[in-house]
Amino acid sequence: MTQAEKELECGGKEKEKERDKEKEQQRGVKRPITPAVIPEPIHEQIQTNFVIVINPGSRSVRIGRATDTLPVTVPHVIARRHKQSGQPRYEDPWLLRDGLNKPESNEQRQNGLKMVDQAIWSKKMSNGVRRTPVSSEQARAYNCQIRPAVLDSSSRVKWTSTGHHPAYLVGDEALCVNPSDCYNIHWPIVRGQFNIHSGPGGSMTAVLADLEAIWSQIIQKHLEIPLKDLKYYRCILLVPTIYNRQHIKEVVNMLLLNMGFSAIIVHQESVCATFGSGLSSACVVDVGDQKTSICCVEDGVSHRNSRLCLAYGGSDVTRTFFWLLQRAGFPYRDCQLSKRLDCQLLQHLKEIFCHLNQDISGLQDHEFQTRFPEAPALLYQIRLGDEKLQAPMGLFYPTTFGIVGQKMTLLQHRYQGDAEDPHDEHYLLSTQSKQDQSSKSASDRRAGARPVGLDGEMSSQCGFGETSELPRGCGGGVGSGGVMQGEMELGPSQGESLMGAGETEESLSGHLSRKTAIMSQFESKALGLDKAILHSIDCCASDETKRKMYSSILIVGGGLMFHGAQEFLLHRIINKMPPSFRRLVDNVEVITRPKDMDPRLIMWKGGAVLACLDTTQEMWIHQREWQRFGVRMLRERAAFVW
């Protein structure tokens, strides 16, 4: 047979197979149904100029393309027009917060100030001499006599024009809305979490609508990207170190389905901070405007046990500074914490006056201006002493903030579960409990098994019976795969709640209730920044990891940008760290400006770096995948334990 004839015969056989397949389909022969699985990510070259990095914060949001040198930074606030005339005006507070007007608040504030003064006196200056304390009365006598000088009859600052009745205004425009206009002011994020409350705009739906409006406006106005073109763009979303899974799920849903991004990556701020600073491992301390997050990151993974969130930040320092200014006879006597523009002024005064340099002492004269709409521009003189140092030291003595009856230290709590994600940690816990009980009962029966009778029958049936009924992947391979994987996902903090084999549900619930009580007691304490850093590092598993963390303490965020902060924090860490580690750690280092970058932009920069890495290809969650599988995609693709 010639080669041509062989090829002809092969071609004929293939055609016959195709005809047989068509006949089977026509006769209604059912083909095997393959189970739905989460598809493997599509590997393709990502153009980073089509990746938008979003870093939401309590007071500012940073958005930009991954190729941008700097992101767009906008106040994270929105002004929404009243839907009906005569509607009462509502405004979310800026510097004010719950727990300030308690009977114990002032006493606690005074006690905190005494501790601050003692700490200032105990630390010698660089010349070896102790500081001479300056009382507020010395400054008060001068400041009470000050009257402002008129610089200009008009401040040339105007309220935001609302004559065209926009439905909402965002960022700086929202901050400058006239209080007499019919607009509510909302800050959608407070202390790193959704600002959910019982007042107007405090529902989950309203917060998500505010976030979508703010982010969409920034993308259209500042990045000049039409919203209809977002289907060509991908998004990297940075989330807090201690995160709320339900909130993240809703935001991802909003970004992919409402705004229309084609794909998304969700990653933790602390890990992205190490990417942005070029460090492989660090104890990341994010001092923000309203919260302070601490987490130990090693080789791109945040240690779950080391995560802490302190419910105070730069705004609390600003409010304390205002209290100290009032004690010193603040010459701008109409200043109120309930006014937006006054809050802006106080933030500015804190940034230019406050410091943590012990060598700066004595009374010093300063000046500042006030420029408000419909008012003249005024120049004030002011004399200040220790107030400039006392206010930022509140971060180390948080009782100075005078906050009573609030949770001040937050931990990563156990997941409450999600109906869309059946194979969550609760499933793993219950599976392990069944397996432990099954293996214990089987081993007990084998040890005391009788050759005949009903007991013997049961022992032979229960040896592998219960295990075989467990879902695939959590049964026979428990010793090497199922349970160990569950423990890795849950982390040590939740692994502690996995009870030993054979213990009853009552003992499990008792253990959990005791653990909850211990956590509640811990969360009521207001840890100072230095103590919280030491606690976070101490929660690391090995001495080698602790040594790495002590040698690389990375400060990010804008809440600790005071002159002398690096040296001051280093001094307190070295003095308070365990004596055993002083010998092991060669060099304790506090990094406040890695690569001379603005510490407020490091996390966003880390998100931009993430977009350029080849290893992120497997982390993208595509819009169609999210529509089909929902929150399960976060468990599959998130770079941290979901």
Side-chain angles (χ1 to χ4, degrees), residues 50-227:
F50 283 89
V51 177
I52 295 176
V53 181
I54 302 178
N55 181 20
S58 301
R59 280 296 166 259
S60 298
V61 58
R62 294 175 176 85
I63 300 179
R65 293 179 177 86
T67 51
D68 292 343
T69 306
L70 298 173
V72 175
T73 302
V74 174
H76 212 174
V77 61
I78 185 170
R80 285 196 177 274
R81 186 172 179 80
H82 292 172
K83 294 182 179 178
Q84 299 175 349
S85 59
Q87 192 175 332
R89 187 174 161 278
Y90 176 84
E91 182 168 339
D92 285 335
W94 184 340
L95 294 179
L96 294 172
R97 58 180 291 177
D98 293 335
L100 291 175
N101 298 322
K102 305 288 183 181
E104 310 93 331
S105 293
N106 194 50
E107 182 183 354
Q108 185 168 302
R109 196 180 286 119
Q110 295 287 355
N111 291 337
L113 187 58
K114 288 179 184 177
M115 290 190 284
V116 166
D117 288 339
Q118 176 64 29
I120 291 174
W121 179 84
S122 62
K123 185 179 183 297
K124 294 180 180 180
M125 295 188 290
S126 58
N127 58 8
V129 179
R130 295 191 187 278
R131 279 176 58 102
T132 304
V134 180
S135 69
S136 59
E137 293 300 325
Q138 293 174 268
R140 186 179 181 86
Y142 173 84
N143 293 330
C144 286
Q145 301 174 1
I146 294 298
R147 295 293 179 269
V150 178
L151 293 175
D152 196 337
S153 58
S154 173
S155 64
R156 300 177 184 175
V157 177
K158 296 182 180 180
W159 297 112
T160 300
S161 174
T162 57
H164 56 299
H165 305 302
Y168 61 84
L169 295 161
V170 165
D172 291 311
E173 289 183 337
L175 287 179
C176 292
V177 167
N178 193 324
S180 62
D181 286 347
C182 302
Y183 283 83
N184 290 341
I185 309 297
H186 300 296
W187 299 88
I189 295 181
V190 170
R191 280 179 281 287
Q193 305 293 332
F194 282 4
N195 186 14
I196 295 177
H197 54 83
S198 57
S203 67
M204 174 83 80
T205 305
V207 170
L208 287 167
D210 289 344
L211 291 176
E212 183 176 350
I214 295 170
W215 298 355
S216 298
Q217 178 89 336
I218 295 170
I219 289 171
Q220 287 184 104
K221 182 178 177 181
H222 296 280
L223 302 187
E224 299 179 348
I225 300 173
L227 293 182

Side-chain angles (χ1 to χ4, degrees), residues 407-445:
K407 281 188 175 181
M408 297 301 292
T409 304
L410 306 177
L411 304 172
Q412 185 78 62
H413 280 270
R414 291 189 50 181
Y415 190 21
Q416 297 304 312
D418 192 312
E420 294 181 19
D421 187 14
H423 295 87
D424 58 12
E425 60 194 44
H426 294 277
Y427 169 81
L428 295 171
L429 279 172
S430 61
T431 302
Q432 189 199 18
S433 178
K434 288 180 183 178
Q435 292 163 351
D436 289 344
Q437 292 177 16
S438 172
S439 59
K440 184 171 187 282
S441 60
S443 60
D444 289 347
R445 285 174 180 137

Side-chain angles (χ1 to χ4, degrees), residues 136-421:
S136 59
E137 293 300 325
Q138 293 174 268
R140 186 179 181 86
Y142 173 84
N143 293 330
C144 286
Q145 301 174 1
I146 294 298
R147 295 293 179 269
V150 178
L151 293 175
D152 196 337
S153 58
S154 173
S155 64
R156 300 177 184 175
V157 177
K158 296 182 180 180
W159 297 112
T160 300
S161 174
T162 57
H164 56 299
H165 305 302
Y168 61 84
L169 295 161
V170 165
D172 291 311
E173 289 183 337
L175 287 179
C176 292
V177 167
N178 193 324
S180 62
D181 286 347
C182 302
Y183 283 83
N184 290 341
I185 309 297
H186 300 296
W187 299 88
I189 295 181
V190 170
R191 280 179 281 287
Q193 305 293 332
F194 282 4
N195 186 14
I196 295 177
H197 54 83
S198 57
S203 67
M204 174 83 80
T205 305
V207 170
L208 287 167
D210 289 344
L211 291 176
E212 183 176 350
I214 295 170
W215 298 355
S216 298
Q217 178 89 336
I218 295 170
I219 289 171
Q220 287 184 104
K221 182 178 177 181
H222 296 280
L223 302 187
E224 299 179 348
I225 300 173
L227 293 182
K228 62 182 178 61
D229 290 346
L230 287 183
K231 60 188 175 183
Y232 305 115
Y233 285 81
R234 299 178 178 223
C235 173
I236 291 181
L237 175 68
L238 307 191
V239 299
T241 302
I242 293 184
Y243 49 87
N244 185 308
R245 291 176 178 85
Q246 182 64 24
H247 294 179
I248 295 176
K249 170 188 168 184
E250 295 295 342
V251 172
V252 171
N253 202 61
M254 180 259 288
L255 288 167
L256 288 178
L257 303 186
N258 294 10
M259 294 181 68
F261 281 98
S262 63
I264 191 171
I265 285 177
V266 179
H267 214 332
Q268 292 172 297
E269 292 173 338
S270 56
V271 178
C272 288
T274 61
F275 295 156
S277 58
L279 299 171
S280 60
S281 301
C283 176
V284 180
V285 183
D286 172 21
V287 187
D289 186 78
Q290 296 198 346
K291 68 170 178 63
T292 299
S293 299
I294 304 170
C295 179
C296 293
V297 178
E298 187 176 21
D299 299 327
V301 178
S302 69
H303 289 282
R304 186 164 190 159
N305 270 5
S306 69
R307 297 177 198 166
L308 285 175
C309 182
L310 308 172
Y312 59 77
S315 285
D316 299 282
V317 175
T318 304
R319 191 180 57 254
T320 302
F321 186 49
F322 177 54
W323 172 64
L324 293 169
L325 288 175
Q326 287 180 311
R327 291 173 79 245
F330 190 40
Y332 171 39
R333 293 172 183 85
D334 293 332
C335 187
Q336 296 179 23
L337 292 177
S338 57
K339 297 180 180 177
R340 265 176 280 126
L341 299 185
D342 284 350
C343 290
Q344 274 187 305
L345 172 67
L346 290 171
Q347 292 270 45
H348 175 66
L349 295 183
K350 177 197 71 174
E351 290 170 4
I352 62 174
F353 291 158
C354 288
H355 62 84
L356 281 167
N357 189 346
Q358 296 265 135
D359 290 348
I360 302 175
S361 62
L363 289 171
Q364 293 182 329
D365 292 336
H366 304 276
E367 61 181 32
F368 66 93
Q369 299 178 16
T370 59
R371 292 182 178 272
F372 300 129
E374 302 173 358
L378 303 177
L379 176 68
Y380 288 87
Q381 303 291 330
I382 187 170
R383 182 171 291 176
L384 294 173
D386 287 346
E387 293 83 7
K388 299 177 292 182
L389 177 59
Q390 290 167 333
M393 281 194 68
L395 294 169
F396 302 92
Y397 298 93
T399 50
T400 313
F401 299 144
I403 303 165
V404 177
Q406 301 291 307
K407 281 188 175 181
M408 297 301 292
T409 304
L410 306 177
L411 304 172
Q412 185 78 62
H413 280 270
R414 291 189 50 181
Y415 190 21
Q416 297 304 312
D418 192 312
E420 294 181 19
D421 187 14

